[in-house]
Amino acid sequence: MPVAHLDDLLARDVSGRRVLVRADLNVPLHEGAVSDDTRIRASLPTLRKLRDAGARVIVCSHLGRPAGEPRPEYSLRPVHAELRRLLGGEVAFCADCVGDAAQAAAKKLANGEVLLLENLRFHPGESANDPDFARALAELAEIYVNDAFGAAHRAHASTAGVPALIDERAAGSLMEAETDFLERVRVPERPLVVILGGAKVSDKLAVLEALAPHADQLLIGGAMAYTFMAAEGLPTGASLVESKRIEDARGVVRAAKSRGREVLRPTDHVVTASLEPDAEQRVVEEIPDGWLAVDIGPETAERYAGAVALARTCFWNGPMGIFEMPAFAKGTLRVARAMAESPGTTVVGGGDSLAAVNQAGVGEHISHLSTGGGASLEYVQGSALPGLLALER
Ligand code: ADP
Ligand code: MG
């Protein structure tokens, strides 16, 4: 069923009308300040468009997991300061997202003004999708826009309850961009190459199982590669292996092969005697006893880069090694550069993977940097997201 987009909404006159925008302003904080403003920046286009159209813009979001009670360390106040700076111009703030204070703040807005409400999760009704809480939020506005792709996999009051109560509703620009690009992974121009890495098979099992039979080539890196190697009976030394996931890893490879797809794993490795900075390192084809594999080796990196170069569509989640340590970042940075050089559609998701792309300085050459986290992975797995379903009409 179709979802209305922000531009459909703007084609009608929204001037003077109150619009509740569910944004994803769930950013990391460090010592009371925003330490990464990516998600705030990603939310700006929708807010600017509405503001410029003269709407009265009421923004709500969650931040962290305050477990249904007001906790100052999860306040959106630091986000408010950053939003003001980035959006340019005044942004009002209300210390509660519902109730008399929120109602009054919403009523006070003039055309083209923006109000940020305090953390939705200060109320238990948000995560519980409580009907009374949803009604209290919905009462603030006449129009609802969901731009919080990163929260679309949750059936919470602000993502599922409110849109059921407001007929005039639409997806924001970020929501639209995320779904457009991730849809190109679900229904790809082939060959589709998927690169999965990161720490654990158990974190990524659902996406591995969904994408192994779907991708023409699945390239495995990061610590999860050693669980796949253990599944083949290969030596893994002291590398991270999830013994409880070895059978799952076998299943992933079997599922891919039964569909005629290819799963590639590292064939050379950067190993270290320990994670101490001055520990001895080597590049090996067979991981020696007691040594830790911490990055894909240079040959593997070239092989993976070659596969990426031939892809028409490429999706990457999860670093190839402990890229936070410069000595073990080469494989990850090589893959980031290969993605940037690929002529196909390239999509990167995952907090650490985005950090790696930025570390490589190639962000602008990737077709889409997905800020959706868990929601992005669920979407490419083919799951229906409650936040998107609720926008349909
Ligand atoms: P993303 O945030 O992009 O989804 P993950 O959180 O799944 O990625 O994985 C990132 C983490 O995986 C990083 O902290 C990285 O150090 C770790 N990692 C990658 N390869 C290895 C490895 N060989 N050994 C230990 N940790 C690894
Ligand atoms: Mg991570």
Side-chain angles (χ1 to χ4, degrees):
M1 263 186 291
V3 169
H5 291 299
L6 188 61
D7 289 335
D8 305 324
L9 199 68
L10 295 171
R12 300 193 292 274
D13 191 9
V14 297
S15 168
R17 306 195 61 207
R18 277 177 294 140
V19 183
L20 180 67
V21 179
R22 175 48 160 111
D24 178 10
L25 304 176
N26 181 31
V27 293
L29 299 175
H30 182 69
E31 290 176 357
V34 174
S35 57
D36 180 349
D37 64 6
T38 309
R39 281 186 163 158
I40 304 178
R41 288 178 187 278
S43 304
L44 296 176
T46 291
L47 301 182
R48 287 211 174 101
K49 279 188 181 176
L50 285 166
R51 186 181 65 176
D52 294 351
R56 303 172 180 200
V57 188
I58 304 158
V59 188
C60 63
S61 175
H62 76 283
L63 188 136
R65 295 172 185 268
E69 55 181 303
R71 287 177 50 190
E73 66 272 33
Y74 294 109
S75 172
L76 278 163
R77 281 187 192 276
V79 172
H80 174 233
E82 209 53 25
L83 185 61
R84 250 159 116 175
R85 191 176 68 77
L86 292 169
L87 201 53
E90 195 44 48
V91 176
F93 184 80
C94 181
D96 199 355
C97 62
V98 290
D100 293 344
Q103 284 286 351
K107 290 229 167 71
K108 238 174 57 192
L109 285 175
N111 294 7
E113 284 185 352
V114 180
L115 163 69
L116 175 65
L117 302 173
E118 183 56 286
N119 198 338
L120 292 161
R121 290 191 186 166
F122 283 1
H123 291 267
E126 165 63 357
S127 300
N129 191 11
D130 172 69
D132 291 331
F133 180 71
R135 207 167 303 116
L137 270 176
E139 275 168 9
L140 297 174
E142 307 136 65
I143 299 174
Y144 170 81
V145 170
N146 190 351
D147 207 24
F149 180 74
H153 58 320
R154 309 269 183 236
H156 290 174
S158 65
T159 58
V162 174
L165 299 169
I166 299 183
D167 283 339
E168 239 179 304
R169 54 180 184 265
S173 309
L174 174 62
M175 183 73 94
E176 192 183 346
E178 288 275 17
T179 49
D180 277 2
F181 277 101
L182 295 170
E183 190 62 23
R184 296 194 209 179
V185 179
R186 289 224 286 217
V187 187
E189 210 180 308
R190 291 184 183 274
L192 166 67
V193 169
V194 170
I195 310 156
L196 292 176
K200 287 186 185 161
V201 171
S202 45
D203 286 346
K204 306 282 167 75
L205 190 58
V207 73
L208 282 163
E209 285 177 340
L211 294 185
H214 176 56
D216 296 279
Q217 287 180 313
L218 171 63
L219 319 185
I220 297 190
M224 66 159 75
Y226 313 112
T227 300
F228 278 84
M229 287 177 58
E232 286 182 55
L234 295 164
T236 53
S239 314
L240 282 184
V241 171
E242 287 175 280
S243 51
K244 292 208 170 97
R245 292 286 164 260
I246 290 177
E247 205 36 58
D248 292 319
R250 277 193 198 112
V252 166
V253 174
R254 235 184 348 251
K257 284 197 174 141
S258 72
R259 296 286 304 273
R261 312 292 196 203
E262 235 184 314
V263 178
L264 277 60
R265 58 147 181 93
T267 45
D268 64 340
H269 318 274
V270 176
V271 297
T272 181
S274 83
L275 288 177
E276 297 307 310
D278 48 3
E280 193 191 338
Q281 297 159 24
R282 292 182 198 163
V283 172
V284 297
E285 284 176 7
E286 189 175 309
I287 303 171
D289 269 354
W291 289 64
L292 239 81
V294 285
D295 193 10
I296 58 175
E299 242 178 63
T300 303
E302 286 315 312
R303 201 155 48 89
Y304 285 10
V308 168
L310 296 175
R312 294 295 309 145
T313 309
C314 221
F315 177 72
W316 176 29
N317 169 265
M320 299 290 98
I322 307 180
F323 77 104
E324 297 93 335
M325 302 174 78
F328 311 139
K330 291 194 191 80
T332 301
L333 296 177
R334 181 71 189 94
V335 165
R337 284 200 308 278
M339 290 283 286
E341 286 159 11
S342 166
T345 299
T346 49
V347 181
V348 182
D352 292 297
S353 309
L354 294 183
V357 164
N358 289 330
Q359 197 172 308
V362 297
E364 12 176 328
H365 303 291
I366 306 288
S367 311
H368 183 66
L369 302 174
S370 179
T371 56
S376 311
L377 294 184
E378 288 205 20
Y379 194 91
V380 296
Q381 282 161 42
S383 311
L385 306 188
L388 283 171
L389 287 178
L391 286 175
E392 289 182 358
R393 45 190 62 249

